[in-house]
Structures are given as structure tokens and as C-alpha cells.
Amino acid sequence: MPPNRPKTKILVDGGDPQETARVRQLLGFVDGQTTNPSLIAKNPEIQRRIASEHTLSPQEEKDEYRKIVQAISPLVGDAGVSIEVFADIDTTAEEMVTQGEEMFFWIPNAYIKYPCTGEGLRAAEMSVAQQIRVNMTLCFSQDQAAAVYAATRGSKEPVYVSPFVGRLDDRGENGMDLLQNIKKMYRSGDGHVHVLAASIRHVEHMLAALALGVELTTVPAKILEEWAKRDFPMPDQDFGYKAINARGEPLKPIPYKELDLKLPWQSFDIVHELTDTGIRKFVADYRSTLKRSA
Ligand code: E4P
């Protein structure tokens, strides 16, 4: 158990209730959980069903997803469980909201995940008007974070935005700069959007996110286990984050942009290649659970 509980809420990034229970045992708490179609596809029960040549229908897949989040829900604290709608490149906001409205009532502490696309932002705008809590996923730019802020203005519940640090690092950009830039931009806002550092690849990412004072971070169990093995280090005032890739090469800085949070969300340049790639990967992983295995 860490000697001092971090101010930043710690969520488990996964799709297996047993793993969440293990982390809770190790840390003494888990503030919340994020799931996504790729993580759900890896769930041991879903894998067992696929391996036993059982073809999952979309309805069965949804039932499994519901059972998984219902098992995780009581294990976590007030950061809740994020549940992701099925969203392909051409899925409309209305189709996303229909799913979100159903998923939101699966558990009492749900956050509905929509992608940072035009349709995802429209879905968020409609959802917050109905007091459905949202987590805007696949965020790769400051413009997308500004659009999340503008689209959800007036939300009675905190809105989460999930910048994906590791996937930016993967293509040579310093994902931690994006976190820092979004935090800086939100300083002029009303605080209704909470930054959830996602796509965390190692303990240093997590510590840098804590040092930046993000409201939440979602971390895979194996990284939280590594944090425990290292006796729960915390970033002190001398903490320095080395923006390097796995080969030790420096990551390219992401410059800060002056953006006006008062503008309508449609005025921001929300297109990002990694958002589209991320959607395609989630769709492919979701579809893999529907295939009959040989
Ligand atoms: C966040 O909600 C996502 O599930 C997650 O952090 C994605 O991380 P990855 O880039 O390791 O897939």
C-alpha cells in the first residue's frame, strides 16, 4: 500500500475484474477503471468462449461486457468505470448516444466513452444534457481537448478527457507535453473537464502524470504492480521526466497553442490521424470477439 495516497486518482486500465481485485489488494484502493473494446476482447472469459469455438453474437458480446463492468463496479471508488460505446468511423452521434443511454444504467458509477471526433463530441453534448457522465477518449491534440471543454460546457458532472500519452510517444512525439499543454489551457476554464492521463506505458509516465497534477490517470495492472515492487515511489519537487523513447532517443516536443475555450466546439481543428487509427483498431478488436476461432 502506498504510504500516501496520490492526489491524482488512480484507475486500472483493463477488462478483467480479477485483475482489478488483485490491484485493489496490492494498493489498498482503486479509484476507478477504464475499459475499451481491445481490453474487453482480452478478458479471460471472452477468450475462453472464443477458444471453445463459441461464436459471440453482438448481443452476447454486449452481455459479457455488461457482466464484466458489473463485476468491476463495486471494486472501485468514485472515479467510476468507463464503458466505451461501439463507434466506427461512420457511426453517428445518435447511434452512440443510444448505446450510451443503455450502458449508463448498467452500473451506478458509469462514465460513457465517446471518441474525440465530430460525432463523438455531438454525442457528448447530447449526453451531458441528460446528465450522462462522459469520458472523451482517443484525445491526441490540444484542439480536441478544447472542443471537449466547449461541447460539454455546463455539465453538472465532471467530464473526463483522456489524452493518450504512449501512442504519441510511439510515433516520436512527447505525449507528456500534450498533458501539460491541456492542463495549462484548462487553467483559464471553469474546471468542469478533468484530465485523465491514458496510454501509460511505464512507471515514469505515471509519475510524470502525478507531477503534472492531472486529476486522474489510468494505468495497466502490470505497471501498478511494478510501482508496488519499487515500493511506491512518488515524484518529489526534484522529479525530472526524461522525454525519451524505448531506444533512449529524445521525443519531439509538442508546442503549446493559444486556444480560446469560449469558442464553439465546432471551431476547433479536431481531426487527428491517431484518433481514426485508434477507432479502426477498437473496431477490429471488437470484431475479433465475434469470430469463430478455428
Ligand atoms: C484509456 O482509456 C485507454 O483504454 C488506454 O489507456 C489505451 O492505452 P494503449 O495505448 O496502451 O492501448
Side-chain angles (χ1 to χ4, degrees):
M1 200 174 293
N4 295 308
R5 192 159 162 169
K7 270 206 199 127
T8 297
K9 289 181 181 168
I10 308 284
L11 288 71
V12 175
D13 200 15
D16 176 8
Q18 286 184 16
E19 187 185 75
T20 307
R22 227 176 41 237
V23 173
R24 187 175 183 227
Q25 179 79 18
L26 190 66
L27 266 55
F29 70 94
V30 167
D31 291 309
Q33 173 102 16
T34 53
T35 64
N36 68 38
S38 308
L39 295 166
I40 294 301
K42 285 189 203 138
N43 170 275
E45 176 60 16
I46 292 197
Q47 282 297 318
R48 190 193 60 74
R49 289 186 66 165
I50 295 170
S52 66
E53 293 190 34
H54 181 91
T55 310
L56 288 186
S57 67
Q59 182 59 44
E60 284 173 321
E61 211 279 352
K62 191 160 81 176
D63 289 344
E64 285 300 323
Y65 196 0
R66 182 174 42 75
K67 280 190 237 155
I68 293 166
V69 298
Q70 284 175 341
I72 293 171
S73 167
L75 301 173
V76 306
D78 64 2
V81 182
S82 292
I83 312 171
E84 187 150 343
V85 299
F86 171 83
D88 207 341
I89 300 291
D90 57 358
T91 305
T92 65
E94 287 73 16
E95 287 166 338
M96 292 185 209
V97 170
T98 302
Q99 298 176 64
E101 284 169 350
E102 181 186 342
M103 289 164 152
F104 189 67
F105 291 102
W106 283 355
I107 49 172
N109 51 353
Y111 277 76
I112 302 302
K113 278 173 112 176
Y114 297 121
C116 281
T117 57
E119 290 306 290
L121 285 155
R122 254 191 350 105
E125 198 173 28
M126 292 189 255
S127 295
V128 299
Q130 303 181 57
Q131 295 182 36
I132 287 178
R133 289 177 292 269
V134 300
N135 174 355
M136 300 306 291
T137 191
L138 292 167
C139 172
F140 294 98
S141 74
Q142 208 190 310
D143 277 85
Q144 290 177 329
V148 167
Y149 180 94
T152 59
R153 197 181 282 116
S155 172
K156 297 205 173 48
E157 300 275 357
V159 165
Y160 297 165
V161 65
S162 295
F164 275 37
V165 175
R167 293 193 197 183
L168 282 164
D169 283 16
D170 288 346
R171 64 170 205 179
E173 294 177 61
N174 181 10
M176 210 48 75
D177 279 348
L178 175 64
L179 273 192
Q180 190 166 17
N181 294 344
I182 295 172
K183 280 296 286 174
K184 181 174 168 190
M185 173 175 71
Y186 282 172
R187 260 191 247 140
S188 66
D190 59 16
H192 82 274
V193 185
H194 292 189
V195 178
L196 195 171
S199 187
I200 296 292
R201 296 280 154 75
H202 40 71
V203 174
E204 278 59 40
H205 267 162
M206 176 184 147
L207 297 183
L210 301 192
L212 283 176
V214 295
E215 286 84 359
L216 318 103
T217 183
T218 187
V219 185
K222 65 171 187 330
I223 297 176
L224 291 168
E225 281 158 2
E226 169 69 16
W227 184 47
K229 209 153 77 195
R230 286 168 49 179
D231 214 12
F232 303 107
M234 291 289 285
D236 58 18
Q237 57 207 30
D238 303 322
F239 176 79
Y241 172 69
K242 278 204 197 86
I244 48 172
N245 67 15
R247 292 182 299 280
E249 297 152 353
L251 296 168
K252 196 167 144 240
I254 299 177
Y256 182 74
K257 243 177 129 171
E258 287 299 339
L259 295 174
D260 183 357
L261 293 175
K262 290 187 205 77
L263 292 175
W265 69 260
Q266 292 87 346
S267 66
F268 296 104
D269 176 13
I270 55 165
V271 176
H272 199 288
E273 184 194 330
L274 289 182
T275 304
D276 292 355
T277 310
I279 288 174
R280 290 201 181 91
K281 171 89 172 93
F282 284 154
V283 168
D285 286 343
Y286 164 74
R287 295 225 162 97
S288 77
T289 67
L290 306 181
K291 275 188 212 141
R292 181 186 287 275
S293 80

